[in-house]
Amino acid sequence: MAAISTGVYFRTYQRELALRHTKAQYVRLALVVVAAIAAPYLLDPYQLSILNTVLIAVVGAVGLNILVGFTGQISLGQGGFLAVGAFTSGLLTMRADLPAPLSIACAVVVTAAAGALFGLPALRLKGLYLAIATLASQEIIVFIARRWSFLREESGAPLSIERLKVGGYEITREYFEFQWYWILLGCAVVAVLAARNLFRTGLGRSFMAVRDQDIAAAAIGVNVTRTKVVAFAVSSGFVGLAGALTAHYSETVTWESFTFEISILYLAMIIVGGLGSVAGAVYGAFFITLLPVFLNEFIGGLGEDVPWLVSRLPAIENAVFGLVIIAFLLIEPRGLDRIWQRMKDYVRFWPFRY
Amino acid sequence: MRHTRTLLAVAAATSLALTACAPGGGGDDAADEDGPIKVGIIADLTGATGDVGTPYAAGEEAYVKWLNENGGIDGREIDATVTDYAYDVPTAERVYKEYVNDGVVAVMGWGTGDSEALKSRVSADELPFMSASYAEPLTDPEEAPYNFVVAPTYSDQARVGLNWIAEDGKSSEVALFHNDSPFGLAPVADAQEWAADLDLNVEPYAMPAGSTNYTGLLSQAKKQGAKYIMIQNVSSPAALVAKDIKAQGLDMQIVCLNWCADELFIDTAGAEAAEGHVLVQPFAPVSAEQPGHDEVNAYLEENGSSLEEEGLHFAQGWYTMHAMAEGIRAAVEEGDLSGAGIKEALETMGAIDTGGVVGAGEIEFSADSHRGSTGTGIYQVEGGEMAPVELGATP
């Protein structure tokens, strides 16, 4: 815990339960709100499309962090669960003519169920063994998506999804990124708030108890079996939402968007952002999604002078990605969230050390 | 509760107001009267298909340079940006959005997976898209109104290959080794259907990516009784199959389609292992010495290289870009340099001459079909060269 609570005294239980306690926290929140509202007016559509991708990643990363960061159950099956969400929502919209919001909601439920099913090995396995079991779930799901022709158009092309319609309201071509921004921002905010609040409930606390010491958790009355399965279900629900949003936003569903690399990318997001922190998942989603974009811009800018760098851009991206993860694991295993807390503490205590 | 309701009402009102004063969509400065005409190229230089993707992209880029040196289009230069997407669909989506934002008038794509994933976007954005994927669904204007395919489709190539096999008649069992991706799978169902009419049996086998040998797959094909291995993959893995066949002394003949039917296949496998294998290639190889090669060769020789060195995929990229440039030229002449204008120009302008390099020599689109050509050459490797067996073969 950072020094955030020093000198703050609560006079009511309600006040103590509030998500924010200090004025600085409210000021920062206000700044974030202003930035979120101003962003689509300041960014061009391409930059906004990157931000939209980040917002989808936020939903997915928060979901994965619930499982890995808060419950201590490692998962390499993120790509597979994203695919379940995307295909479910896509099929329900295109084949069953369900309105998009309803099919997105169904995708959340179906992915949660799939997550619970593939989470069953977690009752027996831990650590590396569980990682391999979840890797198997990724491979199985993507294998089905590759081979089952029902998940494609009749011509064999990937499933096309019509432009998002909510009631009589349809996304327009001209304002595509702008309108999606508000939808995705809403979903990301709901996901973050839901996760923040989850850890103030008994269920959320049982997740953390299982993470910290499952035998002790069982001793104090936590149903470890149920908790682990529910953690998989809840986490996968978030991931299913991210998958469904990906499907409607990109207007197509192909297994090639949900490969094993995506699972690794999401794991990197929560490691870099900070395991066991909702804010960390958000920072990580921003960082990992923006990293290749900035690298691209940076090397593209150098292009004329060092053409050999441009021709090796994907290799450089991979190398930088690997280096970033190693650097975080070595220097700050608790990620960007911890770095941010330390910065705040430094400012708060200056000129004293503590 | 009342507090929440007020907040919700304020939020709803704000979002309505925000949408009302929203900023506009992507840039459309490409339609400027005399600025350069922007075109985006999505290329695979370092990904799974980089071996053939690199010369193809170089060909596209070289054509643009050549065109600009020769007066451009109506005095306007083409400003082409090449971005390597390393055969990764999400990266292709990002690059595509960047191009749309930059105000390109057309996009040159690469793979089947990414072309199909971008199909809906391309059509919603009304941007003509010419990729190096010859998957059949991309040729149907009803399904993909802005996609154009210059060469015979993978399915057509497989049909031509199967016709040859049926005529050769060593065996009725054909093993179809394919890249394990939408590109590899594209012709499988059509090939099986066509084979049934020819009394042939086609069994598909996915080639695991990054494999260092294919002896396992070959033993499965042997069990099937296949004497023909049709390959829908790029040159490097196909060359490995040829080497394995040679090493094991198997009595099997490879029939390579498009992306492995080239000089790279022969060079990588070695002339001895490649000897006798059949290559279905819609783009005339350098050894075929078509008039269309002269222009490309002259440009390359001026720049210290030759088409012999660069290979047929360079000419393939060159003439695909040529087809798009001709569409742009016709649209400029009509005074409508928009995506819809270029689409209409391509559909109505008639045949585009490629000097015998593409298909049966010309590329022609219509409003009913975006399949630019159906004729393909069949070659057989003889002494390390692609010797023509039949030119302009159609299914």
Side-chain angles (χ1 to χ4, degrees):
Chain A
M1 183 76 182
I4 202 159
S5 314
T6 312
V8 179
Y9 303 104
F10 306 114
R11 291 201 173 83
T12 61
Y13 288 119
Q14 209 177 9
R15 192 77 196 97
E16 192 184 356
L17 281 173
L19 277 172
R20 279 155 217 283
H21 301 126
T22 62
K23 271 191 189 147
Q25 286 176 325
Y26 281 102
V27 171
R28 281 198 297 271
L29 179 66
L31 284 177
V32 170
V33 170
V34 169
I37 291 175
Y41 298 96
L42 301 176
L43 302 177
D44 68 32
Y46 168 62
Q47 291 163 337
L48 202 54
S49 76
I50 303 281
L51 192 54
N52 285 342
T53 319
V54 172
L55 291 172
I56 294 176
V58 164
V59 178
V62 165
L64 187 63
N65 213 358
I66 291 175
L67 188 68
V68 182
F70 286 98
T71 323
Q73 309 293 301
I74 191 139
S75 169
L76 292 173
Q78 181 85 353
F81 296 130
L82 281 166
V84 172
F87 277 107
T88 307
S89 189
L91 288 173
L92 287 175
T93 307
M94 299 310 293
R95 305 262 166 89
D97 281 334
L98 228 57
L102 206 57
S103 58
I104 291 174
C106 290
V108 172
V109 176
V110 170
T111 318
L117 180 72
F118 283 107
L120 288 178
L123 306 180
R124 291 258 176 181
L125 305 174
K126 271 188 189 175
L128 198 56
Y129 301 97
L130 180 60
I132 298 299
T134 52
L135 174 62
S137 73
Q138 157 83 34
E139 294 299 326
I140 291 167
I141 292 168
V142 172
F143 180 82
I144 292 170
R146 284 165 96 136
R147 295 279 179 262
W148 195 15
S149 59
F150 178 70
L151 301 179
R152 291 193 294 275
E153 298 286 344
E154 247 176 65
S155 61
L159 194 64
S160 285
I161 300 187
E162 62 183 22
R163 196 141 279 192
L164 187 78
K165 260 188 246 166
V166 182
Y169 187 73
E170 189 177 355
I171 297 273
T172 60
R173 182 188 153 200
E174 198 184 355
Y175 298 120
F176 184 84
E177 301 295 348
F178 181 81
Q179 289 167 333
W180 262 109
Y181 173 76
W182 296 110
I183 296 169
L184 295 173
L185 182 69
C187 292
V189 168
V190 168
V192 167
L193 283 179
R196 276 300 297 267
N197 282 297
L198 177 67
F199 298 106
R200 306 187 322 150
T201 64
L203 180 68
R205 292 190 187 282
S206 65
F207 285 177
M208 288 187 277
V210 168
R211 172 194 62 188
D212 293 339
Q213 180 51 267
D214 55 355
I215 297 170
I220 58 168
V222 172
N223 184 339
V224 176
T225 309
R226 199 196 66 174
T227 304
K228 284 184 175 178
V229 174
V230 171
F232 265 95
V234 171
S235 160
S236 305
F238 279 75
V239 179
L241 174 62
L245 291 172
T246 309
H248 289 275
Y249 175 62
S250 60
E251 296 177 345
T252 184
V253 193
T254 161
W255 62 266
E256 287 190 291
S257 308
F258 307 110
T259 52
F260 178 57
E261 283 77 25
I262 300 291
S263 299
I264 299 294
L265 217 59
Y266 271 90
L267 215 48
M269 283 178 200
I270 58 171
I271 289 173
V272 168
L275 285 172
S277 149
V278 175
V282 178
Y283 304 149
F286 269 84
F287 189 88
I288 295 291
T289 316
L290 294 180
L291 184 68
V293 179
F294 281 124
L295 213 57
N296 212 350
E297 291 287 319
F298 177 66
I299 293 178
L302 293 176
E304 295 293 309
D305 307 321
V306 271
W308 65 271
L309 263 183
V310 179
S311 63
R312 289 165 182 79
L313 187 58
I316 294 169
E317 267 177 26
N318 284 341
V320 171
F321 178 71
L323 283 175
V324 163
I325 294 182
I326 293 171
F328 268 95
L329 289 175
L330 280 178
I331 300 164
E332 183 46 278
R334 290 173 66 188
L336 290 167
D337 183 53
R338 183 74 190 124
I339 293 175
W340 175 232
Q341 279 183 11
R342 282 220 303 262
M343 279 162 62
K344 284 189 294 191
D345 288 352
Y346 180 82
V347 173
R348 193 170 298 122
F349 295 129
W350 192 87
F352 305 109
R353 296 228 15 224
Y354 46 83
Chain B
M1 191 66 200
R2 247 181 77 187
H3 188 59
T4 317
R5 254 188 228 159
T6 320
L7 266 179
L8 276 176
V10 170
T14 319
S15 70
L16 267 178
L18 290 173
T19 311
C21 53
D28 54 357
D29 49 346
D32 273 358
E33 288 295 300
D34 27 64
I37 300 166
K38 287 185 183 176
V39 173
I41 298 176
I42 302 175
D44 180 17
L45 308 179
T46 55
T49 56
D51 57 350
V52 287
T54 307
Y56 180 86
E60 288 178 304
E61 227 179 334
Y63 178 81
V64 171
K65 277 190 193 147
W66 174 85
L67 186 68
N68 289 342
E69 282 165 14
N70 288 281
I73 292 175
D74 197 24
R76 293 172 69 177
E77 286 203 340
I78 288 199
D79 175 9
T81 313
V82 182
T83 309
D84 179 14
Y85 82 111
Y87 213 59
D88 175 53
V89 172
T91 309
E93 287 177 334
R94 176 164 61 81
V95 173
Y96 171 77
K97 283 181 197 168
E98 195 174 356
Y99 285 156
V100 172
N101 192 54
D102 285 347
V104 298
V105 296
V107 178
M108 308 298 284
W110 173 250
T112 303
D114 34 287
S115 298
E116 289 184 337
L118 287 171
K119 193 180 66 181
S120 324
R121 274 287 173 90
V122 165
S123 127
D125 294 331
E126 297 186 349
L127 271 185
F129 192 99
M130 227 174 242
S131 69
S133 160
Y134 310 130
E136 207 145 275
L138 296 173
T139 62
D140 179 3
E142 270 185 31
E143 211 183 299
Y146 278 83
N147 285 78
F148 291 85
V149 174
V150 295
T153 63
Y154 296 138
S155 305
D156 278 344
Q157 294 175 37
R159 288 172 190 131
V160 168
L162 288 168
N163 288 349
W164 182 86
I165 289 171
E167 216 167 285
D168 196 50
K170 275 203 287 268
S171 147
S172 62
E173 290 296 327
V174 181
L176 176 46
F177 284 13
H178 63 84
N179 189 306
D180 200 8
S181 69
F183 149 62
L185 284 164
V188 172
D190 289 331
Q192 284 178 312
E193 205 173 298
W194 192 262
D197 294 341
L198 295 171
D199 284 331
L200 298 175
N201 176 40
V202 171
E203 286 297 330
Y205 300 87
M207 298 170 85
S211 230
T212 48
N213 77 70
Y214 290 101
T215 42
L217 275 192
L218 283 171
S219 67
Q220 285 183 45
K222 202 174 157 190
K223 240 182 243 170
Q224 182 203 331
K227 289 259 191 288
Y228 300 97
I229 311 286
M230 184 173 269
I231 304 182
Q232 166 72 350
N233 206 333
V234 287
S235 310
S236 314
L240 274 181
V241 177
K243 279 184 183 172
D244 289 343
I245 289 176
K246 174 86 186 158
Q248 293 182 51
L250 296 172
D251 177 23
M252 287 178 174
Q253 181 150 33
I254 291 177
V255 178
C256 265
L257 306 184
N258 202 143
W259 290 106
C260 59
D262 53 18
E263 311 91 343
L264 194 59
F265 166 76
I266 302 171
D267 293 345
T268 316
E272 214 179 310
E275 188 67 16
H277 292 311
V278 169
L279 312 174
V280 178
Q281 177 53 264
F283 295 85
V286 187
S287 55
E289 291 178 354
Q290 292 293 324
H293 286 141
D294 298 344
E295 207 168 62
V296 193
N297 217 5
Y299 171 86
L300 282 170
E301 277 172 4
E302 252 174 52
N303 290 281
S305 180
S306 71
L307 197 52
E308 188 100 12
E309 265 174 61
E310 301 291 338
L312 70 88
H313 296 304
F314 187 92
Q316 186 173 358
W318 177 288
Y319 276 105
T320 311
M321 192 69 226
H322 168 72
M324 183 60 94
E326 287 304 297
I328 295 174
R329 187 191 300 279
V332 168
E333 278 165 14
E334 287 295 317
D336 180 14
L337 186 56
S338 64
I342 298 171
K343 173 182 180 276
E344 204 190 322
L346 282 167
E347 284 172 350
T348 54
M349 65 189 289
I352 302 165
D353 185 25
T354 66
V357 175
V358 182
E362 289 178 337
I363 299 168
E364 188 165 3
F365 303 109
S366 71
D368 303 324
S369 169
H370 286 184
R371 186 191 310 234
S373 167
T374 51
T376 176
I378 305 174
Y379 305 84
Q380 194 154 20
V381 183
E382 276 175 24
E385 290 282 328
M386 290 171 74
V389 174
E390 190 183 344
L391 295 178
T394 52

